[in-house]
Amino acid sequence: MTNLAIIGAEKSGRTSLAANLGKKGTSSDITMYNNDKESRKMVFVDPHGYPKAIKPLITALNISDMAILCIPPDGLDRDNPASVHTGECIVALDLLGFKHGIIALTKSDSTHMHAIDELKKKIKLMTAGISLQDWECISLNTNKGAKNPFEGMEDLKARINGISEKIEAEQAELNNLPARVFIDHAFNVTGKGCVVLGVVKQGISKDKDKTKIFPLDRDIEIRSIQSHDVDIDSAPTGTRVGMRLKNVQAKDIERGFIISDKEIVSTDYILECTISKFTRAIETSGVLHLFVGLQSEPVRVEKILVDGQEVKEVKPGSTCVMELSGNKKVAYSREDRFLLANLDLPQRFAGYGFPKLP
């Protein structure tokens, strides 16, 4: 199964594209569009709470294997206020090291071929040397009233299927790892108890598994598993799941909680960080927002080390070791990538880091 985040600035065409690719399902600040009619089942995620907040964007990306970045004809124009959010999406994808994706040149019916060629040149310059540099650009429209409605959609679907084959091979390799499920929704169902929705990020999660939920660090049992409303005995890596859980209530669960046998749980962090070139210097005593998996919390910068020496600030484009303190328990593994953000800036993403090994 492939999970795809369809992202972009407001009015970039992302929602109409998602609705064209799947049937609307669960909706909060992110909306799921399910396509289970084909032999290859897919879930398309529209972070419609973005750009007002960046959490929906990060949630969509961290439960997905592939991203479709929607850029309309004026999406990179400096006189278009929304262009900062197109740029912010590009920065987020790069900081996350996002491997698989497509750039959808949306609303192609509202412009001409020369303008599309110029937009492709801009994109090539902007993405040179970053994780998006080899992503294919596909022109399309999802306007039913266009002269050629849905032009480019078949090309897009063919490319999605081609990338999905690679993703499925990668997922198969992750099946040998201990199971981890990222939870994005939780609620109580009368007669069934606590139900969570999420995605299996690695390993194989099985019906009747006795495991734990973090950061609660509580023993639980998986009572049953569904995928696309069908009961299943086991869910391999990449599966979008609904699970009934024993020994926990929905009110105790927040987005980002992890079903796993073992996680690190902490309120303080030491990260080996790379600071984005597209942010401001970060100072000690400053406040950042930390994201890992689907969890987030504000943290204070307690100490910055550059080449082993303590400094008062770190400049954009630099690497450092950063000590951060927070108040909320967060669960993670040593391999998880943390994102740092400064919510007071127009382009909010500040850098990424990994837990520093002792």
Side-chain angles (χ1 to χ4, degrees):
M1 182 181 296
T2 305
N3 301 288
L4 301 92
I6 302 185
I7 67 172
E10 202 169 20
K11 298 181 180 180
S12 62
R14 70 184 190 216
T15 299
S16 58
L17 176 58
N20 184 270
L21 291 168
K23 181 181 178 181
K24 188 175 181 179
T26 305
S27 183
S28 52
D29 56 346
I30 59 174
T31 301
M32 310 293 181
Y33 293 84
N34 304 298
N35 185 342
D36 57 359
K37 304 301 181 185
E38 310 291 337
S39 57
R40 175 175 284 117
K41 292 179 172 59
M42 296 185 182
V43 177
F44 302 90
V45 189
D46 172 22
H48 70 258
Y50 175 82
K52 184 177 181 180
I54 61 172
K55 187 174 182 178
L57 174 65
I58 298 169
T59 298
L61 291 173
N62 278 338
I63 60 175
S64 297
D65 316 292
M66 185 193 314
I68 301 175
L69 173 60
C70 297
I71 304 180
D74 62 349
L76 295 176
D77 290 353
R78 291 186 177 183
D79 58 353
N80 176 12
S83 65
V84 68
H85 299 130
T86 305
E88 189 171 62
C89 287
I90 292 172
V91 172
L93 288 164
D94 186 48
L95 293 180
L96 283 171
F98 222 85
K99 186 176 179 181
H100 299 295
I102 300 166
I103 298 173
L105 305 181
T106 54
K107 304 184 180 181
S108 61
D109 58 306
S110 66
T111 188
H112 50 84
M113 188 60 67
H114 176 71
I116 291 174
D117 289 340
E118 288 301 311
L119 180 57
K120 287 180 179 180
K121 290 178 183 178
K122 284 185 183 180
I123 292 169
K124 190 172 182 63
L125 286 172
M126 285 191 69
T127 59
I130 65 174
S131 63
L132 289 73
Q133 66 178 358
D134 296 323
W135 288 17
E136 184 177 352
C137 292
I138 297 178
S139 300
L140 56 89
N141 77 72
T142 54
N143 179 6
K144 293 180 181 179
K147 184 178 180 180
N148 297 304
F150 307 114
E151 186 177 19
M153 288 298 294
E154 292 307 312
D155 289 343
L156 177 65
K157 291 176 182 179
R159 185 60 181 144
I160 289 171
N161 275 302
I163 296 175
S164 293
E165 290 182 7
K166 297 178 182 178
I167 289 170
E168 288 166 1
E170 293 170 359
Q171 290 172 340
E173 294 181 3
L174 294 175
N175 283 337
N176 295 322
L177 298 176
R180 294 181 88 204
V181 180
F182 284 11
I183 297 171
D184 51 62
H185 293 85
F187 47 88
N188 285 317
V189 175
T190 303
K192 293 186 177 181
C194 177
V195 174
V196 298
L197 306 179
V199 64
V200 182
K201 293 298 291 183
Q202 68 176 46
I204 300 176
S205 193
K206 298 178 181 178
D207 184 16
K208 304 301 184 291
D209 269 354
K210 290 180 171 61
T211 180
K212 290 178 175 285
I213 187 168
F214 292 93
L216 289 177
D217 195 10
R218 182 180 298 178
D219 292 327
I220 62 167
E221 180 181 340
I222 299 173
R223 284 181 164 177
S224 63
I225 306 174
Q226 283 192 340
S227 183
H228 292 283
D229 297 321
V230 176
D231 290 329
I232 55 176
D233 294 328
S234 62
T237 302
T239 307
R240 177 87 191 153
V241 293
M243 293 179 166
R244 287 200 304 130
L245 303 182
K246 182 180 179 180
N247 200 37
V248 67
Q249 296 183 35
K251 66 180 180 64
D252 299 324
I253 300 174
E254 297 179 18
R255 174 181 290 174
F257 278 25
I258 301 172
I259 297 173
S260 166
D261 287 339
K262 184 178 180 181
E263 299 287 324
I264 301 167
V265 177
S266 180
T267 60
D268 302 323
Y269 318 90
I270 301 176
L271 302 179
E272 296 180 336
C273 295
T274 299
I275 308 305
S276 171
K277 295 181 291 185
F278 305 103
T279 190
R280 294 180 187 171
I282 297 174
E283 301 177 348
T284 54
S285 299
V287 175
L288 298 173
H289 222 80
L290 175 147
F291 297 86
V292 59
L294 311 187
Q295 304 162 94
S296 66
E297 73 153 332
V299 291
R300 183 172 297 278
V301 181
E302 300 292 351
K303 184 185 289 187
I304 302 172
L305 299 174
V306 175
D307 295 328
Q309 301 296 314
E310 188 170 348
V311 297
K312 292 184 177 180
E313 69 171 29
V314 59
K315 296 179 180 179
S318 303
T319 58
C320 66
V321 172
M322 201 176 292
E323 296 185 14
L324 305 166
S325 63
N327 295 309
K328 177 181 172 183
K329 287 184 178 180
V330 168
Y332 61 94
S333 77
R334 293 187 183 278
E335 293 75 31
D336 285 343
R337 182 184 292 242
F338 288 69
L339 275 189
L340 299 173
N342 185 336
L343 303 186
D344 294 327
L345 299 181
Q347 193 294 107
R348 291 164 282 189
F349 293 107
Y352 71 91
F354 294 95
K356 182 175 170 59
L357 298 175

